[in-house]
Amino acid sequence: MRLKTDLTTLAMWAIGGVILLAIVIGSVATLRAGGLSARAWRDLVVFGLAQGSLYALIALGYTLVYGILRMINFAHGEVFTAGAFTAYFAAVPLFSSPRFNGRAGELPLVGGLVAALGPEHPVIVGVKLLLLLAVSMGASVTVAVLLERIAYRPLRRAPRLVPLITAIGASIFLQYTFAGLYGSNPQTYPDVPLLAGKTTVLGVEILRAQLLVIVAAALLMAVLVFLVQYTRTGQAMRAVSEDKDTAALMGIDVDAVIVRTFIVGGALAGAAGLLYALLNKQVHFYMGFQPGLKAFTAAVLGGIGNVPGAMLGGLFLRLFESVGPSLFLQGLKIPAAYQLKDAIAFTMLVLILIFRPTGILGERLGAKRA
Amino acid sequence: MALLELRDVHSYYDRIQALKGVSLEVAEGEVVTLIGANGAGKTTTLRTISGLIRPREGSIYLAGERISELPAHAIVAKGVVHVPEGRGIFGRLTVEENLRIGAFTRRDKAGIQTDLDAVFATFPRLRERRRQAGGTLSGGEQQMLAMGRGLMARPRILLLDEPSMGLAPILVEEIFAIIRRLNREQGVTILLVEQNARAALEVAHRGYVLETGHVRLAGPAAELLVDPEVTKAYLGGEGQG
């Protein structure tokens, strides 16, 4: 028995070692060949940071719910879709109908204001984006709260596999609800003035949309950290995540805290949905699946249940996905390396699970195994 | 009128009946102890009072008001504060955060600060370690933290479950001294569950002996201490405490 365990560990470490070696050899070969300019590398890093902060926002939803309920909310990708796709229907009138763009006077007050300042005035664009954010967050929060109420709460005392399977069912149910409700064709977000083109920050050229994503995600994460660390709700969330019964004995309404956790996770996913749509322009009913899976991977990578871990995991994963193909694979003469970015993402997961099963910032489980 | 009263309470874990009609009373200002063997239903009684388990039959009253239908968090808000077996310290929260969360149902900031200082005065070691994570404390310190946290709720009645469990004899003595002081000096009403029957009866005014979900005996603590049946079954020759 003992020997068998050792052999398994040895085999795993051997696999991990081979992968690491391939990464090193590939990177060295790529850098020696010098195929990409410094600027190209920098663009890849910036792109990775922008996408990574989106992943981090979604990953936080997984990690918050896991921290409280010890379950993976596999329908969280659809919570993200709900925000992005619902906000599409607000984005179209706000940014392409003449009514809200100062070319018709049907809404005297609003139309007048838009006409006076011009549809590209930063204040007008900002207000419109905040409206979209409200729609997107509202839709995602609604879906998240309904999920908790209808799908998960009745199973609170069921074995852990049951809510997991329910979550997968809920995910598929929601995907096809969006397909039925919003249509199964991809839709294209309208162009947002001020977000097109590039700008320069600290001497680095960056797409404006990417800058918005990075700044907004950083702000939201700062708000979340404040909420968890310093507010009554955050204190209650931390207590419930450690021990529900004892939390109830402190006078904490555990069910209410669970609902709030889904609200917070949903709001972050809604914001991520809108930012994703502004960056990538397209929405469709299936759009949440892939980011959901990646964000879940990011949450595990960072240490599931750990808030800074989810942020770090998201950034880390997407940076590797962005830089990895060019850095690790091109030097190994692998054709169409960028197609393999998903393979890189999940290889990162395998490596982490081999060398640090609790994730980057995860705590080691005691001998008891919680 | 009794401050806390249980009338014919029946409780179950799934299909297993743990309490088979427990009735007991605690008056304001009293220390009452529940003693009995493992599995007699002592912890279940406390968990039923605090709402973690819902009684299937019978009722629980706090100062005449029926509380057995309320959820656990609402029972705490009424002033019934349960310090659970195993202490239930939030290991990742600091000592001070643990104490402050004990006052979760209260909104009076000034009062909370006063009580925090009072708890630190009662348990000076907690003040020294206020910034430390709860999980890093020793067993005795954790027990003090759990009791201090219970006091932060300004309890009308404190339910203590096995406060001496797993502690070194010198700490056991200290814990019982603190229980006595809380009651005699601060007037805290206490329902105390203990394995250490002798020490519990020495600090209590009255006691109940539980046996397989029934109240087997009840009476003033001084009488139970010399009751031949109690002496034989629970105070045995080993003379702990």
Side-chain angles (χ1 to χ4, degrees), chain A residues 26-58:
Chain A
S27 308
V28 169
T30 308
L31 291 174
R32 276 212 174 143
L36 285 177
S37 65
R39 215 181 120 176
W41 285 118
R42 206 180 53 204
D43 285 349
L44 284 177
V45 169
V46 169
F47 177 76
L49 281 180
Q51 295 279 358
S53 42
L54 286 181
Y55 279 32
L57 287 179
I58 310 172

Side-chain angles (χ1 to χ4, degrees), chain A residues 3-356:
Chain A
L3 186 69
K4 207 171 160 188
T5 319
D6 284 350
L7 277 177
T8 315
T9 314
L10 203 66
M12 287 202 326
W13 280 65
I15 294 171
V18 168
I19 297 174
L20 278 179
L21 195 67
I23 288 177
V24 171
I25 293 176
S27 308
V28 169
T30 308
L31 291 174
R32 276 212 174 143
L36 285 177
S37 65
R39 215 181 120 176
W41 285 118
R42 206 180 53 204
D43 285 349
L44 284 177
V45 169
V46 169
F47 177 76
L49 281 180
Q51 295 279 358
S53 42
L54 286 181
Y55 279 32
L57 287 179
I58 310 172
L60 283 167
Y62 283 100
T63 245
L64 288 171
V65 167
Y66 183 87
I68 299 263
L69 288 179
R70 298 290 180 274
M71 75 160 278
I72 305 295
N73 176 13
F74 267 119
H76 192 61
E78 279 58 50
V79 172
F80 162 85
T81 308
F85 214 154
T86 309
Y88 164 77
F89 294 97
V92 168
L94 278 177
F95 286 106
S96 45
S97 115
R99 184 175 304 186
F100 295 105
N101 288 279
R103 288 191 291 276
E106 288 172 48
L107 297 166
L109 191 64
V110 177
L113 201 64
V114 173
L117 291 173
E120 306 214 344
H121 191 281
V123 172
I124 298 289
V125 175
V127 168
K128 284 177 177 178
L129 283 178
L130 284 178
L131 279 175
L132 283 188
L133 187 65
V135 171
S136 177
M137 282 178 152
S140 289
V141 166
T142 308
V143 170
V145 168
L146 287 176
L147 264 176
E148 193 276 328
R149 200 54 186 252
I150 297 169
Y152 304 147
R153 191 178 296 185
L155 302 173
R156 196 69 55 76
R157 305 214 173 261
R160 284 170 60 162
L161 197 57
V162 177
L164 189 73
I165 293 168
T166 305
I168 294 172
S171 161
I172 296 170
F173 171 84
L174 284 171
Q175 279 170 18
Y176 289 93
T177 304
F178 295 136
L181 213 58
Y182 295 161
S184 50
N185 294 323
Q187 303 288 350
T188 306
Y189 256 59
D191 285 324
V192 175
L194 298 184
L195 284 189
K198 293 185 173 182
T199 183
T200 309
V201 181
L202 304 170
V204 178
E205 237 185 22
I206 179 171
L207 287 175
R208 288 180 167 177
Q210 287 179 344
L211 181 66
L212 174 76
V213 166
I214 293 173
V215 170
L219 274 178
L220 284 166
M221 286 190 257
V223 170
L224 178 79
V225 168
F226 176 81
L227 177 92
V228 170
Q229 280 302 323
Y230 300 109
T231 65
R232 248 172 89 80
T233 298
Q235 203 179 34
M237 281 167 67
R238 286 188 289 152
V240 171
S241 87
E242 278 201 45
D243 181 344
K244 285 195 205 43
D245 274 356
T246 306
L249 291 181
M250 300 297 111
I252 294 168
D253 183 346
V254 174
D255 276 337
V257 170
I258 291 172
V259 171
R260 279 180 206 179
T261 306
F262 273 85
I263 289 176
V264 172
L268 293 174
L274 177 67
L275 294 170
Y276 180 93
L278 291 173
L279 194 60
N280 301 326
K281 291 290 180 197
Q282 267 210 345
V283 290
H284 54 97
F285 74 95
Y286 201 57
M287 66 182 284
F289 181 75
Q290 179 86 325
L293 207 58
K294 290 282 181 61
F296 166 60
T297 308
V300 174
L301 216 58
I304 188 118
N306 182 302
V307 167
M311 299 176 186
L312 206 67
L315 286 175
F316 186 77
L317 181 74
R318 208 57 179 86
L319 264 179
F320 269 94
E321 263 190 54
S322 173
V323 177
S326 315
L327 184 61
F328 310 149
L329 300 180
Q330 245 166 27
L332 298 177
K333 306 262 188 284
I334 290 174
Y338 202 68
Q339 300 287 329
L340 287 172
K341 68 182 174 65
D342 292 348
I344 291 202
F346 295 116
T347 305
M348 292 324 293
L349 181 65
V350 170
L351 282 181
I352 287 284
L353 290 180
I354 289 176
F355 293 114
R356 195 170 160 79

Side-chain angles (χ1 to χ4, degrees), chain B residues 15-88:
Chain B
R15 291 206 194 105
I16 299 153
Q17 184 166 11
L19 298 187
K20 300 167 182 167
V22 169
S23 298
L24 60 85
E25 283 184 15
V26 183
E28 185 117 41
E30 258 189 325
V31 176
V32 172
T33 183
L34 287 181
I35 57 177
N38 274 332
K42 307 186 298 289
T43 293
T44 309
T45 305
L46 295 194
R47 289 173 66 87
T48 308
I49 296 169
S50 59
L52 291 177
I53 301 173
R54 199 162 289 280
R56 205 169 286 184
E57 280 174 58
S59 320
I60 301 169
Y61 298 87
L62 180 72
E65 181 191 356
R66 190 177 152 113
I67 58 167
S68 36
E69 310 287 287
L70 297 176
H73 64 93
I75 293 175
V76 181
K78 297 266 177 209
V80 178
V81 176
H82 180 175
V83 179
E85 187 178 7
R87 297 148 199 148

